[in-house]
């Protein structure tokens, strides 16, 4: 599996992405005893990262595959499939980045919104649709998705935190998801999981103050979500301190790796 540098080159002919000038061209080798499984996960990790940062032709490939999926009567792959087929978890990526990067993105989002109510879909299919709907760049559609997550007759309680996670994953959605959680706390189910999920996207002292304020507004330390609040506050504070100490150094290193790349700057927290 390894090349001369002791690394595994990306190889998946379903995605013709040119990695020649990208630091994603190689990635540390996986355990050879699990080569098939790890190759599948590795390929999808690279696809996800490339499309997230709109690298190479990934956005175009995603849209073309999403359109082909629509034209094929939106047939879902089976939820359980052999590892050797190398298709594990790829379909959700096609759906996500097809919606995010394709033309007519509002129409594509509405298409998935309607498809979500198909009673023949499995819970895994529905979860993939929710994830894809969270990938849109349109803030009004993200807001509609968050409102949809409060409808317990439509979205399963165990899927609500996933909606928040995927909305917050993209920069424009993180603030929106956090504000929505604080304003619509009483309407949400699975709130402990949402608090834990959102903790990964809180990055400064203001966020910590808002987190503590939400805990007090919700009822303090004695509410069912109390222990989750406490753990999340400690984790966010630790993350903030770590970034204060090492954030600039990491940003400088990243800048030297790809000096001409149009990547988002690493935000080093300040006392605000």
């Amino acid at each position: 599996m390894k090349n001369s540098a002791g690394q595994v080159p990306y190889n998946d002919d379903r995605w013709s992405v040119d990695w020649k000038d990208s630091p994603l061209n190689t990635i540390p080798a996986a355990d050879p005893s699990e080569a098939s499984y790890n190759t599948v996960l590795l390929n999808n990790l690279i696809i996800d990262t490339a499309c997230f940062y709109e690298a190479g032709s990934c956005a175009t490939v995603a849209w073309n595959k999403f359109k082909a999926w629509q034209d094929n009567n939106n047939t879902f792959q089976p939820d359980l499939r052999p590892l050797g087929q190398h298709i594990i978890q790829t379909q959700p990526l096609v759906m996500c980045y097809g919606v995010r990067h394709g033309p007519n993105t509002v129409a594509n989002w509405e298409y998935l919104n309607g498809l979500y109510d198909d009673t023949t879909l499995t819970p895994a299919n529905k979860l993939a649709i929710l994830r894809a709907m969270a990938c849109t760049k349109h803030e009004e559609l993200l807001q509609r998705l968050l409102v949809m997550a409060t409808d317990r007759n439509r979205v399963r309680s165990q899927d609500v935190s996933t909606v928040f996670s995927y909305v917050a994953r993209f920069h424009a959605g993180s603030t929106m998801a956090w504000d929505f959680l604080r304003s619509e706390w009483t309407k949400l189910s699975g709130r402990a999981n949402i608090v834990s999920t959102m903790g990964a996207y809180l990055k400064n002292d203001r966020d910590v103050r808002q987190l503590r304020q939400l805990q007090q507004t919700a009822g303090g330390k004695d509410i069912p979500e109390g222990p989750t609040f406490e753990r999340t506050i400690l984790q966010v504070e630790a993350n903030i301190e770590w970034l204060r100490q090492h954030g600039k150094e990491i940003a400088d290193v990243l800048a030297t790796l790809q000096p001409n790349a149009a990547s988002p700057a690493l935000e080093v927290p300040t006392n605000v």
Side-chain angles (χ1 to χ4, degrees):
M1 288 180 63
K2 298 180 182 180
N3 60 16
S4 59
Q7 296 174 311
V8 180
Y10 173 78
N11 180 22
D12 189 335
D13 57 12
R14 295 167 301 136
W15 293 75
S16 301
V17 180
D18 182 6
W19 300 112
K20 182 173 61 175
D21 298 319
S22 171
L24 295 173
N25 187 44
T26 54
I27 201 165
D31 184 351
S33 67
E34 298 181 321
S36 176
Y37 174 75
N38 283 322
T39 297
V40 172
L41 298 185
L42 170 63
N43 286 353
N44 285 295
L45 173 63
I46 295 175
I47 291 169
D48 193 12
T49 304
C51 287
F52 184 91
Y53 289 108
E54 303 183 24
S57 60
C58 199
T60 301
V61 174
W63 161 244
N64 289 338
K65 290 184 176 293
F66 178 81
K67 187 65 170 63
W69 173 73
Q70 282 184 306
D71 294 342
N72 194 34
N73 297 319
N74 54 67
T75 301
F76 279 88
Q77 298 163 349
D79 293 334
L80 299 175
R81 39 200 186 270
L83 297 178
Q85 292 183 7
H86 288 212
I87 57 176
I88 298 171
Q89 298 297 323
T90 306
Q91 186 167 14
L93 297 178
V94 170
M95 294 167 64
C96 168
Y97 293 109
V99 168
R100 185 166 182 82
H101 299 308
N104 304 317
T105 183
V106 174
N108 294 329
W109 190 94
E110 294 289 4
Y111 171 80
L112 291 179
N113 187 33
L115 183 62
Y116 180 81
D117 292 323
D118 185 339
T119 57
T120 66
L121 296 182
T122 69
N125 295 155
K126 286 180 174 286
L127 186 58
I129 291 174
L130 289 175
R131 290 174 172 178
M133 291 170 69
C135 293
T136 180
K137 297 180 179 180
H138 289 256
E139 293 187 4
E140 62 272 20
L141 297 180
L142 292 176
Q143 185 70 22
R144 282 178 56 189
L145 179 60
L146 291 169
V147 172
M148 175 178 162
T150 67
D151 185 349
R152 305 187 186 197
N153 294 319
R154 198 170 184 214
V155 178
R156 300 187 308 166
S157 60
Q158 58 264 50
D159 292 341
V160 174
S161 63
T162 300
V163 171
F164 275 80
S165 175
Y166 273 78
V167 170
R169 181 170 180 245
F170 297 98
H171 183 72
S174 58
T175 300
M176 181 184 299
W178 176 231
D179 290 344
F180 190 89
L181 172 61
R182 292 186 295 122
S183 64
E184 305 296 334
W185 174 260
T186 59
K187 298 180 181 179
L188 293 163
S189 58
R191 292 177 296 205
N193 289 335
I194 302 173
V195 169
S196 180
T197 294
M198 289 306 304
Y201 303 97
L202 305 181
K203 55 185 180 299
N204 56 47
D205 293 333
R206 179 192 58 209
D207 292 336
V208 173
R209 290 195 298 271
Q210 291 178 341
L211 185 58
R212 292 186 183 278
Q213 183 179 14
L214 175 59
Q215 180 184 22
Q216 292 304 313
T217 302
K221 296 183 179 181
D222 295 331
I223 59 175
E225 299 85 5
T228 301
F229 270 108
E230 293 300 310
R231 288 193 300 269
T232 303
I233 289 170
L234 289 175
Q235 185 61 59
V236 173
E237 289 178 333
N239 291 344
I240 290 172
E241 183 57 32
W242 191 91
L243 272 176
R244 282 202 182 103
Q245 294 182 28
H246 307 289
K248 185 179 184 304
E249 177 184 357
I250 293 173
D252 291 344
V253 171
L254 292 176
T256 63
L257 291 175
Q258 266 194 311
N260 298 321
S263 57
L266 178 64
E267 296 185 39
V268 179
T270 57
N271 293 312
V272 295

